[in-house]
Amino acid sequence: MARLAAGYSRIGVAATLHSTIMPTTELIRRKAVMVGNEISIRSTVIENVGNLLAENKGDLYDEMVGEQLRLLLEENEVVVLAQASMARAVEKWPEEEKSRCLTSPVSGVEAVRDYLRKKEG
């Protein structure tokens, strides 16, 4: 996910926990330096949504997270979702919009697939 994000110049990072913003942005910055890309990162913590999934309020979680992600997408080429649980908020979006949100479940599976293809070939 960070490797993919590092290929863009304007990157948004979204999280629902403050503790994940810094490690995620630093990882993206390191990957960008490795490929020689100059980047700008705008990050946001989506407040007051952490308990919604535990309270069985998934629709409200998706709405609140999705709203903030769309705001970040207005200013950035891609948005990195710092927690895998956030991916559910974009599942029903149109593909064009959804594809601009980088999630660890999707990029992780793609990385494993690519690794296995290289290993077989």
Side-chain angles (χ1 to χ4, degrees):
M1 179 173 63
R3 181 180 48 80
L4 293 172
Y8 294 89
S9 56
R10 290 185 339 273
I11 304 159
V13 176
T16 60
L17 300 169
H18 287 275
S19 61
T20 58
I21 287 289
M22 186 62 70
T24 303
T25 57
E26 288 307 311
L27 179 59
I28 294 167
R29 287 185 198 288
R30 283 195 308 271
K31 296 293 183 182
V33 167
M34 290 172 65
V35 297
N37 194 19
E38 194 170 313
I39 62 170
S40 164
I41 297 178
R42 180 173 182 269
S43 60
T44 189
V45 176
I46 304 167
E47 305 280 353
N48 303 316
V49 296
N51 292 332
L52 293 176
L53 294 178
E55 295 169 0
N56 209 22
K57 297 179 181 176
D59 289 343
L60 182 56
Y61 176 92
D62 294 347
E63 180 183 327
M64 292 176 72
V65 170
E67 181 180 311
Q68 294 301 308
L69 296 177
R70 282 193 163 112
L71 289 174
L72 272 176
L73 283 172
E74 288 176 9
E75 301 173 5
N76 297 285
E77 296 168 280
V78 294
V79 172
V80 173
L81 310 186
Q83 284 113 359
S85 60
M86 297 173 68
R88 60 171 285 136
V90 302
E91 285 177 354
K92 297 176 184 171
W93 286 12
E95 191 58 40
E96 181 180 316
E97 239 181 338
K98 182 171 41 175
S99 67
R100 293 178 53 213
C101 291
L102 304 179
T103 64
S104 59
V106 172
S107 61
V109 168
E110 289 173 354
V112 169
R113 183 195 64 214
D114 292 346
Y115 171 79
L116 292 173
R117 283 185 182 158
K118 289 177 185 174
K119 193 172 183 175
E120 289 175 353

